Amino acid sequence: MRIVHVDDIAKAVNELVKKANFELGRDVVAAFEKGLKDEVSPAGRAVFGALIENAEIAKRESVPMCQDTGYAVFFVEMGRDLHIEGGLLQDAIDDGVRRGYAEGFLRKSICDPFTRKNTKDNTPTVVILELVEGDRLKIVAAPKGGGSENMSRLTMLSPAAGKKGIVDFVVKRCEEAGSNPCPPVIVGVGVGGSAEKCMTMAKKALLRPIGQKNPDAELAELEAEILKKVNDLGIGPQGLGGSIFAMAVHIEKYPCHIASLPLAVNICCHASRHKEVLL
Ligand code: SF4
């Protein structure tokens, strides 16, 4: 049994949330560069140019790439031969976020849903935990902006709706979202599972690198079909009109109840932030 102390988890999370907010993934920057070449609208190309410059400045000067530094969401894989010493995993992650958001001068955006009183340290966090084989702890920090998160939807389709129903719903959701999720976006889609599993899959789908094909040929085809349709809406970068609303569509699926066809959409803005550490 390997032992990891909560202090080491908090320290790693502290660094992770700052890095996630300062440094975009290489895949996202490459998608911006591709957009700069491929976007048909001059205004849209200007947006891609500004996003590339913004990403460079954020990384170089260690400043957040967006004023909304996000809800601190974590995907954690914990090996079954690992023991956490000194406290609870959730408390350790919250502690790291508390320190990281203070040290990095990251905006604190979490409040009570009724009183709207800010918790002032960006906690509590959301931790999605999965138990896996082995003795390691993989932590992925995926801060999520409110503007794009507000565009999320879950629907329970009739099983008879089939693929057409799935495509129609996702495309309509993107059309309704318009400029609100700060395009160019990544569209995460969950199909199947229970209601909560479906929403989690849609968000987790956003972690897949842009440009990496779905290993399931049927899903890869569906992703390509939806990507073309949402881009044909003409919303374009920042909603200024153009040919690239989405840089990618990522779908995850899971078996579902015979009476249901759950479908979730979670859109990620161009500030597609996620960083991971292995302890
Ligand atoms: S949706 Fe994303 S890019 Fe837009 S304000 Fe929020 S975090 Fe920033």
Side-chain angles (χ1 to χ4, degrees):
M1 182 74 68
R2 246 183 98 240
I3 293 172
V4 172
H5 197 273
V6 284
D7 288 349
D8 294 326
I9 297 172
K11 201 171 154 204
V13 167
N14 175 350
E15 293 308 318
L16 215 50
V17 292
K18 286 183 282 190
K19 203 170 172 204
N21 271 289
F22 302 158
E23 284 182 37
L24 269 182
R26 184 61 215 144
D27 61 316
V28 186
V29 177
F32 292 167
E33 287 161 353
K34 187 170 183 308
L36 187 60
K37 279 196 259 135
D38 296 349
E39 171 57 53
V40 297
S41 118
R45 286 198 297 278
V47 169
F48 278 113
L51 291 178
I52 292 167
E53 189 185 0
N54 185 59
E56 282 167 1
I57 294 170
K59 186 176 177 183
R60 188 175 64 236
E61 300 187 11
S62 295
V63 290
M65 65 193 75
C66 180
Q67 44 76 35
D68 182 349
T69 52
Y71 204 128
V73 177
F74 292 84
F75 288 90
V76 179
E77 287 177 14
M78 181 171 160
R80 68 189 178 108
D81 295 322
L82 181 103
H83 174 67
I84 293 174
E85 191 177 71
L88 297 176
L89 175 66
Q90 173 83 48
D91 292 343
I93 290 179
D94 281 10
D95 192 23
V97 163
R98 202 171 284 120
R99 288 194 242 159
Y101 273 68
E103 285 176 19
F105 301 101
L106 306 178
R107 194 183 83 186
K108 289 84 183 169
S109 309
I110 304 307
C111 69
D112 181 279
F114 290 105
T115 63
R116 311 306 296 181
K117 193 167 177 264
N118 197 305
T119 63
K120 299 208 166 113
D121 58 9
N122 223 52
T123 71
T125 61
V126 169
V127 178
I128 298 155
L129 178 64
E130 199 183 332
L131 293 175
V132 297
E133 290 295 336
D135 60 2
R136 307 299 299 269
L137 188 68
K138 180 176 159 190
I139 304 174
V140 181
K144 186 70 161 44
S148 61
E149 189 72 351
N150 287 347
M151 299 301 108
S152 311
R153 291 294 185 276
L154 170 74
T155 184
M156 306 301 276
L157 293 175
S158 154
K163 270 194 205 167
K164 183 176 181 317
I166 291 168
V167 173
D168 288 351
F169 183 86
V170 178
V171 174
K172 188 157 185 289
R173 178 81 294 263
C174 290
E175 186 171 19
E176 287 166 353
S179 63
N180 290 302
C182 297
V185 301
I186 300 156
V187 183
V189 180
V191 182
S194 54
E196 74 284 3
K197 172 77 180 173
C198 194
M199 286 303 295
T200 304
M201 285 191 294
K203 179 158 280 182
K204 197 171 181 186
L206 302 173
L207 302 180
R208 195 201 314 158
I210 297 175
Q212 187 175 302
K213 268 200 173 184
N214 197 311
D216 179 319
E218 194 183 14
L219 292 186
E221 200 180 305
L222 202 57
E223 289 174 352
E225 180 185 345
I226 295 174
L227 181 63
K228 177 164 185 343
K229 288 190 168 158
V230 299
N231 283 339
D232 284 350
L233 292 169
I235 299 167
Q238 289 297 304
L240 297 173
S243 55
I244 304 176
F245 166 75
M247 300 181 285
V249 174
H250 293 164
I251 304 176
E252 294 280 321
K253 74 166 184 176
Y254 198 77
C256 59
H257 192 282
I258 52 171
S260 313
L261 178 52
L263 173 63
V265 179
N266 193 263
I267 299 176
C268 188
C269 58
H270 61 75
S272 173
R273 297 159 286 198
H274 45 90
K275 286 280 180 279
E276 68 178 64
V277 68
L278 194 62
L279 296 177

